[in-house]
Amino acid sequence: MFAELEGQIEKITYTSVETGFTIAKVKVDGHRGLVTVVGNIAAPTVGEIIKMKGEWVNHPRYGEQFKIAHYDTKIPASVYGIGKYLGSGLIKGIGPVMAERIVEKFGKETLEVIEQQVDRLAEVEGIGRKRVRMIRRAWAEQKEIREVMIFLQSHGVSSGYATKIFKRYGRKSIEVVKQNPYTLATDVFGIGFVTADGIAEKLGFAKDSELRAEAGILYVLSQLAEEGHVYYPYEPLVEKCQGILQVEREVVVKSFAKIALDKKIVIEDLNQDIEEFRENYKAVYLAKFHFSEASIASRLHGLISAAKSIRKIGTAKAIDWVQGQLDITLAERQVEAIRAAVEDKVLVITGGPGTGKTTIIHAVLKIFAKLGVNIMLAAPTGRAAKRMSEATGHEAKTIHRLLEYSMQRGGFQRNQERPLTCDLLIVDEASMMATTLMHHLLKAVPSEATFILVGDVNQLPSVGAGNVLKDIIDSGAAKVVELNEIFRQARESSIIVNAHRINSGELPTIETPDRPEQDFYFIEQEDPDEVLRIILELAKERIPRRFGFDPLDDIQVLTPMHKGVVGAENLNAELQEKLNPGEEGITRGGVQFRVNDKVMQIRNNYDKEIFNGDIGRIKSIDSINQEVMIVFDTGEVSYGYSELDEVVLAYAISVHKSQGSEYPAVILPVLTQHYILLQRNLIYTAVTRGRKLVVLVGTKKALSIAVNNDKTQRRYTYLRYRLSAAFDRLRPGGA
């Protein structure tokens, strides 16, 4: 039975930016304590008055809740409400403390004073002329977008999204949204197809409209790209799009043709002589991925074909010399790798931990430095580049910095017109290279340069679309040296030995005696709640006490999943409470950020030069200027409150996001509830992130499932075959 309820939002426990699903605590007259309300509230603000229609439900775990079916929000009228409203970060220049002082001074007239007599704010202690000007400017900006806000909110768009939309389109916001609300899904970070579709429905767009179908197809392809697919087979894609859009096949097929004509997608017939393409031979690409994949094949072909700029030397003599310089005896495979580095144009060196990849890089750098050639080192992430610099003593840059990305000048400044000035380029952690990034890198590599990719092909593939390193290896287009011998010193580490056992399909050795130098542990526990308790205890007390590791700087919890008791979301909330408790901070997207929190960037922000996966610590939160200062490896970066949807807590992160990084200590839950993600390369990647300590918590059954499952989730990519075809043309008698 439907009921009505009105109250003021006191606390936001959780809210999803994408769906609007919210759990909030609301102060309602006549009710003892705060009422828990659940339902879709788009970007709720503490202090707002919310008028709801819905029903009371009894949650088996959380008790009585009010489930919202429909709601309206309004500006508060009470003194208390106005204080909460102003202190929520709505107006730049007014934080919680200042809001309290202003309301104490002007009471119910506060909003009227700000609107019509803003200079009177100087009467409040702590507000000078400069602050008044800041508040006047912020209030004027609010006023300027009020018409846009009212329009958008009447069509189900929250104030948080409305601000972003206004920032993107300015005064044209209403016009853009009316003409094609689906552009929001591609133009505004945080607004996906689902949200845009809801707006379109309220604006009267038909379910089978061309705009909706076209946007739906592009959305599905984008989602598939996030899962790693460079293309998707035509027929299964049509079915997926029909399922999402709930329209007839004819509508989808017609829209495919239209967006192909508009060059937003490319539909290509694959080689049906190859068995795997006989049934699904028609591939659908987002245009940028088709261009990037074809470009990689073409440019690698050109690189391999071109002459070297580095003069020929006696390889055997150089190898003898470098062994003397480094005072080592190289293994057979290491000698093979160095010979290939000297003689070949393009080389892939792949191998697990402890197999001597860093030693080879050292030796290659020594030889080429002796020749006086220009050398560049790079890695996909900041942490990987930093590790490469520390390991080699040579400067290494992220690929984005190497290619001189510039927001102002629009994109990478290094390309075929302005190539890198190097004779040798070595890229570490190459398994992380996604299709589009490899395309941009190869555009900038001079044709005469030697190009060496170093990585572990058995790790998880890149977060972005593609499986570039594996495709290059499988294609036979480039020289590949695989290192598989664990060196004596590395064999003393149980982490390295067990990583190789996992990679070979064997269970790690977990019955080892509890010796002081032990670095690999397995704690058996089946109950997820108990696993959570153990992880919290390990991170806060047991590991720091025994090994001297700092809970925030040295220990990283990795997890296969985002949801669930030991998924990243819940682990972060629990670990934050345990490791960085407190009430002060700022709540955005249902997450409270506090000073000293460990956070991670979740999208590339070229303007700030901070990229997906970069981890930092919150240094300060300025509620007056609405700025959060975060310290990353590369320095301090300022975030406005509205930009915090680019950042998440990072006490626990997904295994995928940990690629390219190493941590002194790693904790990993391994449970059968992660069944869909229990794969050998996931466990292997997680274990190889730990430098001095790895602790697995879970069941032997789950660990066994993962180790025995080497059927990695397939990624649709055609790069291997494009490279093979290009390589065939290099062979004598090739086409």
Side-chain angles (χ1 to χ4, degrees), residues 68 198 225 303 334 394 413 556 695:
I68 303 166
L303 201 55
Q334 289 180 311
H394 285 252
Q413 300 307 296
Q556 184 60 60
V695 184

Side-chain angles (χ1 to χ4, degrees), residues 34 36 133 166 170 318 421 434 472 530 540 564 617 622 668 684:
L34 299 176
T36 300
R133 285 196 298 273
F166 186 83
T421 53
I472 292 172
E530 271 301 294
K540 176 74 187 288
R617 293 273 286 277
D622 182 346
L668 177 77
Y684 173 75

